[in-house]
């Protein structure tokens, strides 16, 4: 965590200088490409540091990797030198392909004077399990069917047209989930989330991050726990679900004339939507 805070301060410092016209930033980039035949049953693990990670499926039985390591500094010489500290690895371990970028500083270097970033783009077969870790960057996943495990901090996550199972942890950022079919488990902190065109079951816990839920397919069961967060849910027929809504100090608004801080409504044979909050507002609209 100590390196993370130093890196944030460095980004702010360089960005401020550029904004006020005080400095010109030199950018040096190194590009790595690799591809190999995919062994069915293998998973893929991507570990990023200040990385933009993009994964999408294609019809090939291969995995294709394009990685760009980027160094931004006040001089070309410094940017080139510190780019050499930016390392990567592409390999295989325990039936899992591994792709990662990381920093390896010499013993006499305590901190960087450049911004180090990475762009990692991976094309994979559609049916594959993914494990992704990232900090100070973004994650984008498109058209994957499998188990997707994500641990992200200080960045955004976008998941589009995927299916299977998602286990997701995100701290400080935004989550956009569109067109997912399957089972979702999400633990969010300081993360605004938007869920659209969802079908399946979900368990979400969010702390200091509002949830916007729009339009859904067939829902099996949803449970949302709001901690100092609001929920806005639109696009569901209120009478086709069994609602369990409760709040300690917040407000509950529904399409029916219902009042109180605890509301149970509907036929309990219907799919259940359970929402609890401490201080937040629960807003349900058809």
């Amino acid at each position: 965590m100590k390196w993370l805070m130093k890196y944030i301060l460095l980004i702010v410092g360089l960005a401020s200088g550029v904004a006020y016209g005080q400095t010109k930033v030199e950018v040096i980039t190194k590009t790595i490409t690799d591809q190999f035949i995919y062994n069915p049953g293998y998973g893929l693990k991507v570990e990023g540091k200040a990385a933009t990670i993009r994964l999408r499926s294609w019809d090939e039985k291969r995995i294709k990797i394009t990685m760009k390591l980027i160094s931004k500094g006040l001089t070309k010489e410094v940017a080139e030198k510190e780019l050499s500290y930016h390392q990567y690895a592409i390999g295989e371990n325990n039936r899992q392909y591994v792709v990662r970028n990381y920093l390896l500083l010499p013993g006499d270097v305590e901190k960087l004077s450049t911004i180090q970033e990475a762009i990692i783009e991976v094309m994979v077969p559609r049916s594959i399990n993914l494990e992704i870790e990232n900090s100070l960057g973004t994650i984008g996943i498109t058209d994957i069917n499998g188990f997707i495990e994500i641990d992200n901090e200080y960045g955004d996550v976008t998941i589009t047209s995927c299916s299977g199972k998602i286990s997701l942890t995100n701290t400080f950022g935004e989550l956009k989930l569109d067109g997912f079919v399957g089972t979702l488990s999400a633990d969010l902190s300081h993360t605004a989330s938007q869920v659209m065109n969802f079908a399946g079951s979900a368990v979400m816990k969010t702390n200091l991050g509002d949830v916007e839920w729009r339009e859904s397919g067939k829902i099996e069961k949803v449970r949302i726990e709001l901690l100092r967060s609001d929920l806005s849910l639109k696009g569901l027929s209120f009478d086709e679900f069994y609602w369990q809504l409760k709040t300690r100090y917040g407000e509950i608004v529904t399409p029916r004339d219902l009042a109180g801080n605890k509301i149970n409504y509907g036929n309990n044979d219907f799919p259940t939507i359970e929402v609890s909050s401490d201080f937040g507002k629960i807003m349900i609209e058809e």
Side-chain angles (χ1 to χ4, degrees):
M1 186 61 69
K2 187 176 180 181
W3 75 266
L4 188 61
M5 297 310 299
K6 288 183 178 179
Y7 196 73
I8 292 174
L9 291 173
L10 175 63
I11 292 174
V12 172
L14 282 179
S16 298
V18 173
Y20 286 101
Q22 297 172 346
T23 57
K24 177 184 177 181
V25 175
E26 298 288 345
V27 181
I28 306 297
T29 302
K30 177 181 180 180
T31 301
I32 302 99
T33 60
D34 197 359
Q35 59 179 307
F36 40 84
I37 301 297
Y38 171 69
N39 290 317
Y42 275 50
L44 172 66
K45 182 175 183 178
V46 181
E47 299 178 24
K49 288 287 187 295
T52 297
I53 299 173
R54 305 187 189 114
L55 297 106
R56 67 168 53 241
S57 68
W58 63 347
D59 293 331
E60 302 288 336
K61 299 298 182 182
R62 295 177 291 121
I63 293 179
K64 181 181 179 181
I65 301 161
T66 302
M67 184 185 304
K68 294 182 179 180
L69 305 181
I70 303 167
S71 180
K72 300 179 181 180
L74 301 184
T75 68
K76 181 179 179 181
E77 292 74 21
V78 173
E80 287 180 339
K81 179 180 179 180
E82 296 198 354
L83 181 61
S84 67
Y85 306 157
H86 201 157
Q87 303 294 306
Y88 72 94
I90 300 174
E92 179 184 326
N93 182 43
N94 195 24
R95 295 178 61 84
Q96 190 177 52
Y97 302 110
V98 179
V99 179
R100 59 190 291 250
N101 75 298
Y102 60 98
L103 295 174
L104 185 62
L105 304 185
D108 58 343
V109 176
E110 293 186 1
K111 62 180 182 179
L112 293 171
S113 56
T114 58
I115 294 175
Q116 298 295 313
E117 301 174 341
I119 299 174
I120 303 173
E121 297 181 331
V122 187
M123 303 295 295
V124 298
R126 186 173 189 276
S127 295
I128 190 172
N129 295 333
L130 302 176
E131 182 180 351
I132 305 171
E133 299 177 8
N134 197 21
S135 58
L136 284 170
T138 64
I139 297 173
I141 304 173
T142 304
D143 196 28
I144 298 296
N145 174 39
F147 177 43
I148 302 172
E149 184 176 2
I150 297 173
D151 187 355
N152 191 57
E153 59 179 357
Y154 298 99
D156 301 339
V157 176
T158 301
I159 302 172
T160 307
S161 301
C162 291
S163 59
K165 182 178 180 180
I166 294 175
S167 176
L168 183 147
T169 301
N170 198 77
T171 305
F172 290 100
E174 294 184 1
L175 167 65
K176 292 183 179 180
L177 181 67
D178 189 2
F180 176 71
V181 179
T183 302
L184 168 68
S185 175
D187 189 351
L188 310 173
S189 178
H190 298 79
T191 300
S193 56
Q194 184 179 66
V195 181
M196 299 172 290
N197 305 305
F198 177 90
S201 61
V203 176
M204 295 183 66
K205 180 179 180 181
T206 180
N207 180 26
L208 289 170
D210 295 342
V211 179
E212 182 181 352
W213 193 296
R214 297 288 181 268
E215 306 297 332
S216 292
K218 184 178 179 181
I219 287 188
E220 298 172 9
K221 185 174 182 178
V222 171
R223 178 159 57 89
I224 301 174
E225 181 180 355
L226 305 168
L227 301 175
R228 291 165 289 181
S229 309
D230 296 337
L231 168 68
S232 173
L233 194 157
K234 293 183 180 180
L236 296 181
S237 177
F238 196 72
D239 294 325
E240 293 181 1
F241 295 91
Y242 178 52
W243 298 87
Q244 294 180 303
L245 311 174
K246 64 180 179 180
T247 183
R248 291 188 66 187
Y249 305 109
E251 180 185 7
I252 300 175
V253 179
T254 74
R256 305 294 178 264
D257 187 17
L258 305 170
N261 62 357
K262 185 176 182 180
I263 296 173
N264 291 334
Y265 178 87
N267 188 330
N268 59 13
D269 290 330
F270 290 169
T272 299
I273 298 181
E274 177 184 350
V275 184
S276 64
S277 78
D278 50 5
F279 296 94
K281 182 177 182 179
I282 301 172
M283 170 72 77
I284 312 296
E285 299 178 81
E286 290 185 304

